[in-house]
C-alpha cells in the first residue's frame, strides 16, 4: 500500500470511529517497514487524527503510536483534546502519563513543547483539575499535604519569588509516573510554566465553586487568541474549530 493510500485509510477508519482499526493499520506499517516509516506517516497526519488514537490509551498493552510520537506532535494533540469535552479528564491523564513517562522519553522535552503552544497551560491545568488543593499545597509548602480551606494561597508575585527554592521532596519520592511526578517536574524544572498552569487551575477552581460552566461564563470579544487567564470553563472551552482541527468524535 502506498503511503498516501495508507494515510487515507487511517483517516477513513478514524472518521468512522474505528480507532482500533486505525491503530492496527499503523502498527502493521511499523512491523512491515520499520518505525521510521511510521514516523513519516505520523508527520503527515493532522493532530486531530493522532489525538483520536493516542487518547484511547490502554495500560494493558503498548501502543506503537504512543511510543513513537514526538514532543511537538504530542503537544499539538494535547492542546486540542478539550474539544472532546471529557469532564473526567480520564483520557487526557492516561495519554499524558503514557507518553511523557514512557521509557525512552525526556519528560521535560514533552512538557516544554506543550508549554510553548497557545493553550498549553490550559491543557496542563485540565490534567491537574482533580488535584487542585494538593497542587496548591505543593506550590505553597513544597509538599503535597492538603491545604486547609482557610490555608494561605500564594499570590502570583510570591509564586515567582519562590520559583527556584530548593525542593523539600526528592523526585525519587514522587516518581509515580503520574500527577505528583508531573507537578514536581513542572515546579522545579519548568517553574514559569508551573505558575502559568497554576493560575489557570485557580480560575477553574473558582468557576467550579461558583457553579459556572462554559455556557454561563460571560462572553468577551473574541480576538482569536486564548489568553492564559481563559479557562475550560470560560471562553477557551468551546474552541473555535478550524476545518483541519475538528474533533474526530
Amino acid at each position: 500500500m502506498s503511503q498516501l493510500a495508507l494515510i487515507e485509510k487511517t483517516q477513513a477508519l478514524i472518521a468512522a470511529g474505528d480507532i482500533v482499526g486505525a491503530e492496527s493499520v499503523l502498527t502493521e506499517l511499523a512491523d512491515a517497514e520499520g518505525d521510521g516509516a511510521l514516523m513519516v506517516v505520523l508527520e503527515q497526519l493532522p493532530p486531530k487524527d493522532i489525538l483520536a488514537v493516542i487518547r484511547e490509551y490502554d495500560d494493558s498493552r503498548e501502543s506503537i503510536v504512543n511510543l513513537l510520537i514526538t514532543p511537538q506532535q504530542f503537544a499539538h494533540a494535547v492542546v486540542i483534546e478539550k474539544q472532546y469535552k471529557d469532564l473526567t479528564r480520564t483520557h487526557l491523564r492516561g495519554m499524558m502519563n503514557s507518553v511523557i513517562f514512557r521509557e525512552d522519553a525526556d519528560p521535560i522535552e514533552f512538557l516544554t513543547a506543550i508549554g510553548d503552544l497557545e493553550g498549553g497551560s490550559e491543557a496542563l491545568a485540565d490534567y491537574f483539575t482533580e488535584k487542585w488543593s494538593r497542587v496548591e499545597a505543593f506550590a505553597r509548602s513544597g509538599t503535597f499535604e492538603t491545604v486547609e480551606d482557610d490555608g494561605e494561597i500564594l499570590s502570583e508575585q510570591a509564586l515567582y519569588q519562590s520559583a527556584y527554592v530548593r525542593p523539600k521532596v526528592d523526585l525519587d519520592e514522587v516518581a509515580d509516573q503520574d500527577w505528583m511526578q508531573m507537578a514536581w517536574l513542572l515546579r522545579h524544572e519548568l517553574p514559569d510554566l508551573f505558575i502559568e498552569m497554576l493560575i489557570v487551575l485557580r480560575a477553574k477552581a473558582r468557576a467550579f465553586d461558583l457553579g459556572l460552566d462554559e455556557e454561563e461564563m460571560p462572553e468577551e470579544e473574541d480576538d482569536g487568541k486564548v489568553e492564559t487567564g481563559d479557562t475550560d470553563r470560560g471562553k477557551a472551552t468551546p474552541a473555535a474549530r478550524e476545518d483541519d482541527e475538528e474533533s474526530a468524535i
Side-chain angles (χ1 to χ4, degrees):
M1 184 183 301
S2 70
Q3 189 178 95
L4 179 58
L6 187 144
I7 292 172
E8 291 177 347
K9 181 178 181 180
T10 301
Q11 291 186 288
L13 288 168
I14 292 172
D18 186 359
I19 308 303
V20 173
E23 187 173 10
S24 295
V25 170
L26 298 173
T27 300
E28 290 171 5
L29 172 65
D31 290 342
E33 301 184 28
D35 293 349
L38 175 56
M39 294 182 73
V40 170
V41 168
L42 291 179
E43 289 175 357
Q44 298 179 64
L45 284 175
K48 68 180 182 65
D49 289 334
I50 293 178
L51 172 62
V53 175
I54 65 175
R55 77 185 302 272
E56 298 300 327
Y57 170 67
D58 180 354
D59 61 8
S60 67
R61 61 180 179 82
E62 287 188 335
S63 165
I64 188 66
V65 178
N66 288 39
L67 291 173
L68 294 180
I69 190 172
T70 68
Q72 289 71 32
Q73 291 167 344
F74 183 68
H76 281 285
V78 164
V79 298
I80 63 172
E81 202 278 339
K82 62 188 174 185
Q83 294 179 2
Y84 280 84
K85 300 185 185 300
D86 174 18
L87 298 181
T88 69
R89 315 301 185 199
T90 302
H91 290 279
L92 177 65
R93 289 193 298 271
M95 74 176 191
M96 286 186 67
N97 289 343
S98 69
V99 173
I100 292 176
F101 296 122
R102 73 190 189 197
E103 186 174 350
D104 67 332
D106 177 358
I108 302 304
E109 188 176 1
F110 278 90
L111 291 171
T112 298
I114 294 171
D116 285 343
L117 290 182
E118 188 173 307
S121 57
E122 288 84 0
L124 291 170
D126 282 342
Y127 174 91
F128 288 110
T129 295
E130 291 188 351
K131 305 297 182 181
W132 171 75
S133 62
R134 299 188 69 183
V135 173
E136 194 70 63
F138 184 53
R140 179 173 64 88
S141 67
T143 71
F144 288 102
E145 296 179 6
T146 305
V147 177
E148 298 295 335
D149 290 341
D150 59 353
E152 177 187 3
I153 302 297
L154 295 184
S155 66
E156 184 175 345
Q157 181 180 1
L159 285 172
Y160 279 106
Q161 289 174 343
S162 64
Y164 295 94
V165 297
R166 183 183 181 88
K168 290 186 178 180
V169 177
D170 291 335
L171 177 58
D172 290 345
E173 297 179 58
V174 294
D176 58 355
Q177 296 190 342
D178 201 349
W179 70 272
M180 284 190 182
Q181 185 172 355
M182 195 85 74
W184 194 101
L185 291 171
L186 284 168
R187 186 185 182 203
H188 295 298
E189 299 291 342
L190 300 167
D192 288 344
L193 180 56
F194 176 76
I195 293 169
E196 290 177 13
M197 177 279 297
L198 185 57
I199 291 170
V200 177
L201 189 57
R202 287 175 175 178
K204 289 177 179 291
R206 287 195 299 271
F208 181 79
D209 288 343
L210 292 171
L212 302 179
D213 58 24
E214 294 93 324
E215 288 74 24
E216 295 171 324
M217 289 291 286
E219 293 185 2
E220 297 177 10
E221 183 177 350
D222 185 6
D223 62 358
K225 297 180 179 180
V226 177
E227 299 297 334
T228 302
D230 297 331
T231 74
D232 275 340
R233 296 185 184 278
K235 71 181 184 183
T237 297
R241 298 181 182 178
E242 301 295 341
D243 290 342
D244 62 347
E245 286 193 352
E246 289 184 350
S247 170
I249 58 176

